[in-house]
Amino acid sequence: MSEFELVLARREPVAEDVLRLTLVTESGDPVPAWEPGAHIDLLLADGLERQYSLCGDPADRSALMVAVLREPSGRGGSAFVHDRLTEGTKVPARGPRNNFALAPASRYLFIAGGIGITPLLPMVAEADARGAEWRLVYGGRRRASMAFADDLAAKYGDRVEVYPEDETGLLPLPRLLGAPVAETAVYCCGPEPLLAAAELGCASWEPGTLHIERFSPRTDLGTGPARSFEVELAVSGRTLTVPESKSILEVVEAAGIPVLSSCQEGTCGTCETEVLDGVPEHRDSLLTDEERAAGETMMICVSRSSGPRLVLEL
């Protein structure tokens, strides 16, 4: 996916430690088209690349909007945005890419935790425009830290339930997910404990009901002993050995074969690669159980081979 350049037109606080960035093209041309659930990669500095969910209006091609939470224990991306990214700065970008698309459904239950509200904003607007039944439950540590909460409540009324933890406690997931509701799609984004609880709560629901987007790797990834294996690159016509201590991505890049990648944690989907033969050992945080079982693609930044050999479309 090719890079393009954006310019930061505006940065504004929308909650405690949350900035909304409005990004435009320098020429004034329309920004790339996107749909609810999409994210873009922002290349903030040398070696500092981050993915942010788009939270504006897909019909507005004049700008792209993202919201960035300052993460004190993060890897530097949010600190760069909050402390060094100024209006007028050019920001290289890639995308948009959508691993969290809004599927057709009769009704929707949206569950947001903290900054996880961002990809759900355009989803709520789309569901409302479709005339679908929907409900949003939104939790955060405290009201002041919950971006867009007041706007959502003012616009949509009692279809939005806001749960600041210091006032109401945790989101009432047992009540929300205790009994499966037919023809309902559940969309959830937020911190890992919330996502894990949603997965547990939806265990008895129809398969495919729950849709999740993670900002960080899940904690229960397969982390068994790493074994070396061979990877045959069908397009390049080369066979490489992946040692125990390296990922497929590292080995392929070291061989001089260009591969797009970004998070290198198995969460963004940039390095998703088609598997032509062999059985992947999935260690990503993105593919569904059905996609893992099919074994048609894999994230080569973290996943490995279950057997001695893989054949990839590289």
Side-chain angles (χ1 to χ4, degrees):
M1 185 174 293
S2 59
E3 293 181 13
F4 59 97
E5 196 163 81
L6 295 170
V7 176
L8 179 57
R10 186 179 182 189
R11 48 175 279 158
E12 55 187 321
V14 289
E16 204 172 76
D17 289 330
V18 179
L19 286 176
R20 177 168 58 191
L21 309 182
T22 300
L23 299 144
V24 301
T25 60
E26 188 173 26
S27 64
D29 290 338
V31 296
W34 61 281
E35 296 182 350
H39 69 265
I40 55 170
D41 303 341
L42 295 185
L43 285 63
L44 300 171
D46 290 342
L48 195 62
E49 182 176 333
R50 296 293 183 267
Q51 297 76 45
Y52 297 109
S53 297
L54 293 167
C55 60
D57 178 2
D60 181 3
R61 299 287 300 280
S62 67
L64 296 172
M65 291 184 180
V66 300
V68 181
L69 169 68
R70 180 189 288 275
E71 296 274 11
S73 58
R75 296 176 296 145
S78 68
F80 183 94
V81 168
H82 279 253
D83 298 336
R84 297 175 57 189
L85 197 59
T86 57
E87 293 180 2
T89 302
K90 296 179 181 180
V91 185
R94 286 200 298 258
R97 184 183 299 107
N98 201 339
N99 303 312
F100 195 44
L102 187 66
S106 299
R107 60 184 63 85
Y108 297 93
L109 172 59
F110 299 107
I111 303 172
I115 198 63
I117 189 63
T118 51
L120 301 186
L121 290 173
M123 290 188 177
V124 165
E126 177 65 19
D128 195 62
R130 292 180 187 177
E133 294 182 34
W134 64 269
R135 181 181 181 189
L136 168 67
V137 291
Y138 178 14
R141 292 181 179 176
R142 54 192 174 275
R143 195 174 294 272
S145 69
M146 299 175 66
F148 312 110
D150 291 342
D151 293 342
L152 286 163
K155 184 173 183 178
Y156 297 115
D158 60 7
R159 283 179 290 180
V160 176
E161 300 177 22
V162 177
Y163 292 89
E165 187 177 342
D166 62 346
E167 299 175 25
T168 64
L170 297 174
L171 286 173
L173 292 188
R175 173 171 63 82
L176 296 168
L177 303 175
V181 181
E183 300 181 2
T184 299
V186 181
Y187 279 80
C188 184
C189 188
E192 183 58 31
L194 172 64
L195 304 184
E199 288 176 323
L200 182 62
C202 286
S204 62
W205 290 53
E206 187 74 19
T209 292
L210 178 63
H211 306 262
I212 277 178
E213 181 163 65
R214 284 180 160 87
F215 294 143
S216 58
R218 54 191 296 168
T219 56
D220 60 345
L221 295 175
T223 54
R227 296 178 293 269
S228 64
F229 57 93
E230 286 189 341
V231 58
E232 179 183 335
L233 310 181
V235 177
S236 305
R238 300 181 63 180
T239 298
L240 306 173
T241 297
V242 181
E244 300 173 2
S245 59
K246 293 188 178 296
S247 68
I248 299 173
L249 177 64
E250 289 174 314
V251 170
V252 169
E253 288 183 330
I257 298 167
V259 182
L260 282 179
S261 66
S262 183
C263 72
Q264 300 191 18
E265 294 181 325
T267 58
C268 75
T270 306
C271 70
E272 185 170 8
T273 301
E274 185 176 351
V275 179
L276 302 180
D277 194 24
V279 179
E281 179 190 315
H282 296 290
R283 299 189 178 194
D284 67 276
S285 302
L286 188 61
L287 295 176
T288 65
D289 290 341
E290 293 78 12
E291 289 168 333
R292 288 167 179 258
E296 295 176 353
T297 66
M298 66 186 297
M299 308 303 160
I300 62 172
C301 64
V302 292
S303 296
R304 303 186 67 80
S305 178
S306 295
R309 187 179 181 86
L310 283 174
V311 182
L312 302 179
E313 184 74 9
L314 284 175

